[in-house]
Amino acid sequence: MNRGIEIASEVADSSRSLILDQVKYGVAVRMAVLYLATGGTATGS
């Protein structure tokens, strides 16, 4: 995120902003995709 270019700082720092959640969950999703792409197996019901 480029503050002041892509998004205003006031918006990024707002209590309603979901940017940090998106970053946190994005890391987990990318890790899972890489795991599966390298031969890991998915588990579930």
Side-chain angles (χ1 to χ4, degrees), residues 2-44:
N2 293 320
R3 290 177 185 270
I5 296 172
E6 296 176 336
I7 189 168
S9 291
E10 298 82 25
V11 175
D13 296 331
S14 166
S15 62
R16 297 177 63 190
S17 174
L18 298 176
I19 294 169
L20 294 180
D21 289 337
Q22 291 173 334
V23 169
K24 177 175 63 175
Y25 297 133
V27 169
V29 169
R30 286 190 296 277
M31 288 173 62
V33 169
L34 287 171
Y35 173 76
L36 293 174
T38 58
T41 57
T43 59

